[in-house]
Every structure is written in structure tokens, then in C-alpha cells.
Amino acid sequence: MVAAVAAVPVLLVTLQIVASHKNFEGPLVSLWRDYVGTPKSISVPWAGLALALVGLNWKWRGIALGAAVGIDVVFATARLLVDGNFALGNGPTIVLTAIGIGACWGWRSAVRRGADTRPFTTALHAAALGALLALATKVGDVWLHITILAGPTVLDPYVLLADHALGDPAWFMGQLVDALGPVVYAVLHWVYIELPVAAMVVAAWQLRGVVTHRVWPDHYLVRTFLLLGLVGPVVYVLFPVVGPMFAYGPDGNGLQIGNYWPQLVPPMEQNPAPMPFDNATPRNCMPSMHTAWAMAIFVHTRRDNNGAPAPRWLRWGGTFWLAATLTATLGFGYHYGVDLVAGAVLCLTIESVLRAPDRGWGWFRVRLVAGGAALLAGLLLAYRFLPVTMAESPVIAGALVLGSFAAFVTLFYRTWFAAAVPSESRQVVTVRG
């Protein structure tokens, strides 16, 4: 645990050095802006604070929330008067830090007095979750720049051919979103960019009883989100792809193969090759992490911590968020269909690593994790080395891709959800002072 905590500042400093050397904003500069400058995001700091609040009682929640709102109003007003810009996020960042410092101070004081340390441990645990969510976005922003440095050429011609096996869904959804008009576009865009807000809502619901019972669930959404954020972006470097709106649309800044998306599917290329691309567009398509995270939200909105069906509003919300995210990723031209399949496989594999830790590592888990890893590797190899074959035999290739994914989903469901009361619902990890 100590090593993990110590690794965080080391990682941030290292990434900041890389960012400064390559002339883009690093995590420490971005974090400083959240404290005293113009925050890059409004929703992420507030989502982080919301997670921290689950570790406080109602009195301190009200105090913390009021302080965050007040500080944000002061900063926003000053910013408007000085340069006319409107942004929020300083307040929750400052208050989240104060919660962490206060919890540490209170814990040390309780230890000296021989008092109960559990309230402070709970608050510190929750504050750490909120801070990790915020810091993960900072690291993710830097990693997107690293994908550009590591991938001067992209593999979109290969992925396009592989996507023929799925019927080129990005082109179909792009035309559909255009036809549905600006209102639908605005809703989809909000869903797409506010993924942390949905995660915060689900996590807060899962952790709602932590303060009362001093017991943390043995598994909850934040754990899946963070591990996905560590594993998934590694594939960006191994398999750099920019997406149809860039490689085949006007957003390619002159480096695109043609202005095809979304009106016309490009002609089939018999000899695909990596294509050079600009130094501004992240290579963050394969796998679709928005799909992976939205799938995680969907999975975690099926049941509560007692194994009973989650409230209807939460189940419908998770379903809507998944459906809207899939529509947006394709309809905005950010991803190909095969990206989404890879992202969903990654999600269910990572979820199988973390779910029901009290059940151990029996064959039931090994087959899911190993099978998911093998399926993801097989998909990536097929996209890279068999795209022409997939495009020439789309029915067979599409059936193999979707059939193998359906089989994996079925195995996942039978392992974790077919039982009346899943083991993962049991809360067994007690917060100790």
C-alpha cells in the first residue's frame, strides 16, 4: 500500500517532465490550474468531490458542499471580471484536498487519544477515491499525447477493412445521427463527455452505506474504472488508430485518405498499409475505452450490494448511458465498430479479474480472464493481419467476431449473474482503525 501511494507522485512528476520536454501541458500544471487557475474540466472535480462525500456524515457533507460552492462562486466571479471566461472546478478541488488533510489529522489525533479512528479512515478512503478519479484524468490527458509520439503512423486502413465484416456501422450511425438533428446530437454529446458524472452517480449509490455501517463493498465501480484506465490505453500505443472522422473525413487536416465519412464508405483496399498522420490527433480508438467504461456502468447498475435488482431508475439509467455512448462513439465518427467489440471484451475481462474477490481464483474466474484476454488478442491480431480476408468474407468473419463475443458475454453472465444471490454482493471488507 505504501509503495502504491508513493508511486503516484513519482508517476505525476515523471509525466510532467515528459510533458515539459515535449511542450504540452503535464499533470502537475493541469492540477495547479484546478487549484488557482482555470480548471480544464467542470465535471471531473465535482465528481471527485462527490465520491469523497460518501465518507462523511450528513453534517460534514453539507459543510463541504457549501464550502465548495462558495469557493467556486468566488473564483468564477473573479475570472469573469478579469478575463470574461467562465469555468468551475476550483472549489471542489480545494475542498477535496481539505477533506483528505482533515481526515489524516483527525486519524492521528484519534490514535494519540486512543479514540475510534474508523470515521477518519472512512473519510480518508473516500477522499482517496475522489482524488484518484481526478488524477487519473490528468494522467490520461498526458497519455493521449504519448500515443501521438509513439504512433507517427496509424492503422486505420486495416481497421476499416475489418469493419466491413460488421457492416461499417460508423458510416450508418453517422448518417443516422445527422438525420436526427441537433437536439439528439446535443444529448449524445453530453452523455459522451460526462461519463465521469454517470460513474460518480453509480459509485455514490453503491457506497451509500459506508458511513453508517463502516463497511466497504468488496467490489464497486471505481475499482473497475481505474483498472480499465491503466490497462486499456496501453493498447493505444500497440495499435494506433485515429478513427473514421479523421482518417476518412475532413477533420484529417489534409492527411486523410479522402472525405468519405459519413456519406460514402471508402472503396476496399487490397493492400492496406500504415498511414502517416498528424502530431495533434490522439491514437485512442483501439479499444474503445468509452465503450468499456459505459459497459462497466451498465454491469454495475444491474444489482445492489445485497444481490437484489438495483432500483429501476438506476437500471434504466445504466442502459440508456450504454446505448447513448455506443451511438455517440459511432455516430460522431470517433470509432469503428470493431473498436467497440474490443472495448466491451476488455471491460468484461477486467471486471472478471476484480469481481467477487472472496471467491478466489478458481476455474470459474481463470476461464473468463484467460478467455477474455485470448479473445481480445485474437481480435487485435485479426484486425491487423487478416483485414482483407475479413472484408472479402464479411458474413463469415462477422459471424465469428460477434459469435465469439456473444459466447463470452454468455459465459460472463452465467458466472456472475445466473445465481440468485451472487457472491460479489457480500460486503466482507470492514474498515479498521
Side-chain angles (χ1 to χ4, degrees), residues 191-216:
V191 168
Y192 189 84
I193 65 175
E194 297 297 349
L195 191 65
V197 174
M200 176 270 295
V201 171
V202 176
W205 173 78
Q206 290 180 315
L207 302 174
R208 65 197 181 280
V210 165
V211 170
T212 302
H213 304 294
R214 306 296 181 202
V215 176
W216 288 81

mmCIF file of all heavy atoms in Angstrom, residues 191-216:
data_model
loop_
_atom_site.group_PDB
_atom_site.id
_atom_site.type_symbol
_atom_site.label_atom_id
_atom_site.label_comp_id
_atom_site.label_asym_id
_atom_site.label_seq_id
_atom_site.Cartn_x
_atom_site.Cartn_y
_atom_site.Cartn_z
ATOM 1 N N VAL A 191 -23.794 13.095 -23.056
ATOM 2 C CA VAL A 191 -23.571 11.769 -22.486
ATOM 3 C C VAL A 191 -22.122 11.338 -22.689
ATOM 4 O O VAL A 191 -21.474 10.806 -21.779
ATOM 5 C CB VAL A 191 -24.534 10.739 -23.118
ATOM 6 C CG1 VAL A 191 -24.121 9.314 -22.754
ATOM 7 C CG2 VAL A 191 -25.967 10.999 -22.664
ATOM 8 N N TYR A 192 -21.611 11.595 -23.878
ATOM 9 C CA TYR A 192 -20.265 11.151 -24.209
ATOM 10 C C TYR A 192 -19.211 11.819 -23.335
ATOM 11 O O TYR A 192 -18.297 11.148 -22.825
ATOM 12 C CB TYR A 192 -19.971 11.452 -25.683
ATOM 13 C CG TYR A 192 -18.696 10.840 -26.192
ATOM 14 C CD1 TYR A 192 -18.663 9.525 -26.643
ATOM 15 C CD2 TYR A 192 -17.507 11.569 -26.218
ATOM 16 C CE1 TYR A 192 -17.485 8.954 -27.114
ATOM 17 C CE2 TYR A 192 -16.329 11.013 -26.673
ATOM 18 C CZ TYR A 192 -16.321 9.708 -27.123
ATOM 19 O OH TYR A 192 -15.149 9.153 -27.572
ATOM 20 N N ILE A 193 -19.325 13.130 -23.123
ATOM 21 C CA ILE A 193 -18.275 13.841 -22.398
ATOM 22 C C ILE A 193 -18.468 13.786 -20.883
ATOM 23 O O ILE A 193 -17.530 14.041 -20.132
ATOM 24 C CB ILE A 193 -18.168 15.313 -22.857
ATOM 25 C CG1 ILE A 193 -19.443 16.079 -22.499
ATOM 26 C CG2 ILE A 193 -17.858 15.397 -24.333
ATOM 27 C CD1 ILE A 193 -19.352 17.565 -22.809
ATOM 28 N N GLU A 194 -19.682 13.451 -20.423
ATOM 29 C CA GLU A 194 -19.948 13.456 -18.983
ATOM 30 C C GLU A 194 -19.956 12.049 -18.392
ATOM 31 O O GLU A 194 -20.653 11.762 -17.426
ATOM 32 C CB GLU A 194 -21.283 14.152 -18.690
ATOM 33 C CG GLU A 194 -21.321 15.610 -19.082
ATOM 34 C CD GLU A 194 -20.317 16.459 -18.319
ATOM 35 O OE1 GLU A 194 -19.728 15.950 -17.344
ATOM 36 O OE2 GLU A 194 -20.101 17.620 -18.703
ATOM 37 N N LEU A 195 -19.154 11.172 -18.948
ATOM 38 C CA LEU A 195 -19.046 9.820 -18.422
ATOM 39 C C LEU A 195 -18.647 9.799 -16.937
ATOM 40 O O LEU A 195 -19.172 8.996 -16.164
ATOM 41 C CB LEU A 195 -18.052 9.015 -19.261
ATOM 42 C CG LEU A 195 -17.992 7.509 -19.033
ATOM 43 C CD1 LEU A 195 -19.300 6.846 -19.446
ATOM 44 C CD2 LEU A 195 -16.834 6.900 -19.831
ATOM 45 N N PRO A 196 -17.721 10.681 -16.489
ATOM 46 C CA PRO A 196 -17.389 10.674 -15.053
ATOM 47 C C PRO A 196 -18.580 10.970 -14.153
ATOM 48 O O PRO A 196 -18.636 10.484 -13.015
ATOM 49 C CB PRO A 196 -16.318 11.770 -14.940
ATOM 50 C CG PRO A 196 -15.716 11.865 -16.295
ATOM 51 C CD PRO A 196 -16.839 11.595 -17.247
ATOM 52 N N VAL A 197 -19.531 11.774 -14.639
ATOM 53 C CA VAL A 197 -20.705 12.084 -13.825
ATOM 54 C C VAL A 197 -21.545 10.829 -13.610
ATOM 55 O O VAL A 197 -22.003 10.536 -12.495
ATOM 56 C CB VAL A 197 -21.540 13.194 -14.486
ATOM 57 C CG1 VAL A 197 -22.848 13.415 -13.727
ATOM 58 C CG2 VAL A 197 -20.748 14.490 -14.552
ATOM 59 N N ALA A 198 -21.758 10.058 -14.677
ATOM 60 C CA ALA A 198 -22.515 8.814 -14.543
ATOM 61 C C ALA A 198 -21.808 7.847 -13.607
ATOM 62 O O ALA A 198 -22.443 7.195 -12.769
ATOM 63 C CB ALA A 198 -22.706 8.177 -15.918
ATOM 64 N N ALA A 199 -20.489 7.758 -13.732
ATOM 65 C CA ALA A 199 -19.729 6.875 -12.844
ATOM 66 C C ALA A 199 -19.856 7.319 -11.396
ATOM 67 O O ALA A 199 -19.983 6.497 -10.475
ATOM 68 C CB ALA A 199 -18.261 6.856 -13.265
ATOM 69 N N MET A 200 -19.841 8.636 -11.172
ATOM 70 C CA MET A 200 -19.963 9.159 -9.819
ATOM 71 C C MET A 200 -21.320 8.815 -9.213
ATOM 72 O O MET A 200 -21.413 8.412 -8.055
ATOM 73 C CB MET A 200 -19.766 10.678 -9.828
ATOM 74 C CG MET A 200 -19.974 11.364 -8.494
ATOM 75 S SD MET A 200 -21.704 11.881 -8.230
ATOM 76 C CE MET A 200 -21.886 13.094 -9.524
ATOM 77 N N VAL A 201 -22.379 8.931 -10.012
ATOM 78 C CA VAL A 201 -23.721 8.619 -9.517
ATOM 79 C C VAL A 201 -23.809 7.154 -9.097
ATOM 80 O O VAL A 201 -24.316 6.819 -8.016
ATOM 81 C CB VAL A 201 -24.782 8.944 -10.583
ATOM 82 C CG1 VAL A 201 -26.157 8.410 -10.172
ATOM 83 C CG2 VAL A 201 -24.856 10.448 -10.827
ATOM 84 N N VAL A 202 -23.318 6.266 -9.944
ATOM 85 C CA VAL A 202 -23.382 4.834 -9.653
ATOM 86 C C VAL A 202 -22.518 4.498 -8.435
ATOM 87 O O VAL A 202 -22.936 3.756 -7.530
ATOM 88 C CB VAL A 202 -22.939 4.003 -10.875
ATOM 89 C CG1 VAL A 202 -22.915 2.511 -10.534
ATOM 90 C CG2 VAL A 202 -23.867 4.261 -12.055
ATOM 91 N N ALA A 203 -21.308 5.051 -8.389
ATOM 92 C CA ALA A 203 -20.414 4.766 -7.267
ATOM 93 C C ALA A 203 -20.991 5.300 -5.958
ATOM 94 O O ALA A 203 -20.916 4.633 -4.916
ATOM 95 C CB ALA A 203 -19.034 5.369 -7.523
ATOM 96 N N ALA A 204 -21.565 6.494 -5.984
ATOM 97 C CA ALA A 204 -22.160 7.055 -4.775
ATOM 98 C C ALA A 204 -23.316 6.189 -4.286
ATOM 99 O O ALA A 204 -23.494 5.986 -3.079
ATOM 100 C CB ALA A 204 -22.640 8.485 -5.040
ATOM 101 N N TRP A 205 -24.089 5.646 -5.229
ATOM 102 C CA TRP A 205 -25.184 4.745 -4.843
ATOM 103 C C TRP A 205 -24.633 3.457 -4.234
ATOM 104 O O TRP A 205 -25.133 2.978 -3.208
ATOM 105 C CB TRP A 205 -26.043 4.442 -6.061
ATOM 106 C CG TRP A 205 -27.091 3.402 -5.805
ATOM 107 C CD1 TRP A 205 -28.280 3.560 -5.154
ATOM 108 C CD2 TRP A 205 -27.025 2.028 -6.188
ATOM 109 N NE1 TRP A 205 -28.962 2.370 -5.100
ATOM 110 C CE2 TRP A 205 -28.213 1.408 -5.738
ATOM 111 C CE3 TRP A 205 -26.090 1.261 -6.873
ATOM 112 C CZ2 TRP A 205 -28.475 0.058 -5.947
ATOM 113 C CZ3 TRP A 205 -26.346 -0.081 -7.088
ATOM 114 C CH2 TRP A 205 -27.531 -0.677 -6.626
ATOM 115 N N GLN A 206 -23.588 2.909 -4.823
ATOM 116 C CA GLN A 206 -23.016 1.675 -4.297
ATOM 117 C C GLN A 206 -22.401 1.872 -2.913
ATOM 118 O O GLN A 206 -22.396 0.947 -2.096
ATOM 119 C CB GLN A 206 -21.940 1.148 -5.258
ATOM 120 C CG GLN A 206 -22.481 0.606 -6.569
ATOM 121 C CD GLN A 206 -21.365 0.101 -7.470
ATOM 122 O OE1 GLN A 206 -20.332 0.756 -7.628
ATOM 123 N NE2 GLN A 206 -21.566 -1.061 -8.070
ATOM 124 N N LEU A 207 -21.885 3.055 -2.646
ATOM 125 C CA LEU A 207 -21.159 3.308 -1.396
ATOM 126 C C LEU A 207 -21.998 4.088 -0.387
ATOM 127 O O LEU A 207 -21.465 4.595 0.598
ATOM 128 C CB LEU A 207 -19.872 4.092 -1.705
ATOM 129 C CG LEU A 207 -18.892 3.429 -2.674
ATOM 130 C CD1 LEU A 207 -17.744 4.371 -3.003
ATOM 131 C CD2 LEU A 207 -18.372 2.125 -2.110
ATOM 132 N N ARG A 208 -23.292 4.151 -0.620
ATOM 133 C CA ARG A 208 -24.153 4.996 0.206
ATOM 134 C C ARG A 208 -24.189 4.571 1.674
ATOM 135 O O ARG A 208 -24.482 5.382 2.543
ATOM 136 C CB ARG A 208 -25.574 5.016 -0.362
ATOM 137 C CG ARG A 208 -26.270 3.656 -0.309
ATOM 138 C CD ARG A 208 -27.481 3.626 -1.230
ATOM 139 N NE ARG A 208 -28.171 2.337 -1.167
ATOM 140 C CZ ARG A 208 -27.783 1.250 -1.811
ATOM 141 N NH1 ARG A 208 -26.677 1.280 -2.560
ATOM 142 N NH2 ARG A 208 -28.483 0.126 -1.718
ATOM 143 N N GLY A 209 -23.911 3.314 1.988
ATOM 144 C CA GLY A 209 -23.998 2.846 3.366
ATOM 145 C C GLY A 209 -22.673 2.774 4.090
ATOM 146 O O GLY A 209 -22.610 2.272 5.217
ATOM 147 N N VAL A 210 -21.616 3.300 3.473
ATOM 148 C CA VAL A 210 -20.283 3.153 4.058
ATOM 149 C C VAL A 210 -20.177 3.865 5.402
ATOM 150 O O VAL A 210 -19.635 3.324 6.366
ATOM 151 C CB VAL A 210 -19.220 3.684 3.069
ATOM 152 C CG1 VAL A 210 -17.888 3.894 3.770
ATOM 153 C CG2 VAL A 210 -19.043 2.708 1.913
ATOM 154 N N VAL A 211 -20.677 5.095 5.487
ATOM 155 C CA VAL A 211 -20.555 5.861 6.724
ATOM 156 C C VAL A 211 -21.362 5.222 7.843
ATOM 157 O O VAL A 211 -20.912 5.132 8.992
ATOM 158 C CB VAL A 211 -21.016 7.317 6.491
ATOM 159 C CG1 VAL A 211 -21.117 8.060 7.818
ATOM 160 C CG2 VAL A 211 -20.046 8.029 5.570
ATOM 161 N N THR A 212 -22.546 4.735 7.512
ATOM 162 C CA THR A 212 -23.423 4.165 8.536
ATOM 163 C C THR A 212 -22.878 2.859 9.089
ATOM 164 O O THR A 212 -22.857 2.633 10.308
ATOM 165 C CB THR A 212 -24.829 3.926 7.963
ATOM 166 O OG1 THR A 212 -25.340 5.163 7.473
ATOM 167 C CG2 THR A 212 -25.761 3.372 9.021
ATOM 168 N N HIS A 213 -22.414 1.974 8.201
ATOM 169 C CA HIS A 213 -22.030 0.621 8.617
ATOM 170 C C HIS A 213 -20.520 0.427 8.777
ATOM 171 O O HIS A 213 -20.092 -0.622 9.261
ATOM 172 C CB HIS A 213 -22.562 -0.397 7.601
ATOM 173 C CG HIS A 213 -24.049 -0.312 7.388
ATOM 174 N ND1 HIS A 213 -24.949 -0.620 8.376
ATOM 175 C CD2 HIS A 213 -24.782 0.060 6.305
ATOM 176 C CE1 HIS A 213 -26.178 -0.465 7.912
ATOM 177 N NE2 HIS A 213 -26.112 -0.036 6.664
ATOM 178 N N ARG A 214 -19.722 1.436 8.340
ATOM 179 C CA ARG A 214 -18.259 1.311 8.388
ATOM 180 C C ARG A 214 -17.775 0.087 7.619
ATOM 181 O O ARG A 214 -16.795 -0.563 7.985
ATOM 182 C CB ARG A 214 -17.754 1.221 9.833
ATOM 183 C CG ARG A 214 -18.215 2.339 10.725
ATOM 184 C CD ARG A 214 -17.686 3.670 10.276
ATOM 185 N NE ARG A 214 -18.114 4.747 11.169
ATOM 186 C CZ ARG A 214 -18.162 6.024 10.828
ATOM 187 N NH1 ARG A 214 -17.818 6.379 9.609
ATOM 188 N NH2 ARG A 214 -18.547 6.943 11.681
ATOM 189 N N VAL A 215 -18.486 -0.271 6.568
ATOM 190 C CA VAL A 215 -18.144 -1.448 5.766
ATOM 191 C C VAL A 215 -18.133 -1.038 4.297
ATOM 192 O O VAL A 215 -19.071 -0.410 3.812
ATOM 193 C CB VAL A 215 -19.155 -2.585 5.981
ATOM 194 C CG1 VAL A 215 -18.844 -3.759 5.058
ATOM 195 C CG2 VAL A 215 -19.145 -3.044 7.425
ATOM 196 N N TRP A 216 -17.061 -1.387 3.612
ATOM 197 C CA TRP A 216 -16.961 -1.104 2.175
ATOM 198 C C TRP A 216 -17.338 -2.354 1.389
ATOM 199 O O TRP A 216 -16.972 -3.465 1.782
ATOM 200 C CB TRP A 216 -15.528 -0.711 1.815
ATOM 201 C CG TRP A 216 -15.167 0.650 2.313
ATOM 202 C CD1 TRP A 216 -14.770 0.976 3.577
ATOM 203 C CD2 TRP A 216 -15.175 1.871 1.577
ATOM 204 N NE1 TRP A 216 -14.533 2.318 3.676
ATOM 205 C CE2 TRP A 216 -14.771 2.901 2.463
ATOM 206 C CE3 TRP A 216 -15.480 2.189 0.255
ATOM 207 C CZ2 TRP A 216 -14.672 4.227 2.058
ATOM 208 C CZ3 TRP A 216 -15.375 3.515 -0.145
ATOM 209 C CH2 TRP A 216 -14.978 4.519 0.747
#
